[in-house]
Amino acid sequence: MVVAHPQDKAAFYAFVDRFTSVASPETFTMLQSPAGIAEIDHLIRQKVAQMQTE
């Protein structure tokens, strides 16, 4: 898992490959508020957990 092992490059590349294969090409502006960043962090962790159970 990328979050648990941030130095694991193989895990990172596997995550990016899997994520980009299902990701929308839509782009968003960069969040600046701590609340917005925390919400995105939560959503990413939630999606990663969902992908692991599939």
Side-chain angles (χ1 to χ4, degrees):
M1 183 169 173
V2 176
V3 175
H5 304 283
Q7 301 303 322
D8 186 344
K9 290 182 181 181
F12 173 77
Y13 290 128
F15 170 77
V16 170
D17 287 344
R18 186 169 180 188
F19 179 78
T20 55
S21 70
V22 296
S24 168
E26 186 176 0
T27 60
F28 301 91
T29 59
M30 185 66 147
L31 295 171
Q32 300 297 324
S33 73
I37 293 169
E39 177 64 18
I40 293 300
D41 181 66
H42 170 74
L43 293 172
I44 290 170
R45 289 175 190 274
Q46 188 176 39
K47 183 64 176 177
V48 169
Q50 176 189 2
M51 292 171 68
Q52 289 177 338
T53 61
E54 292 179 349

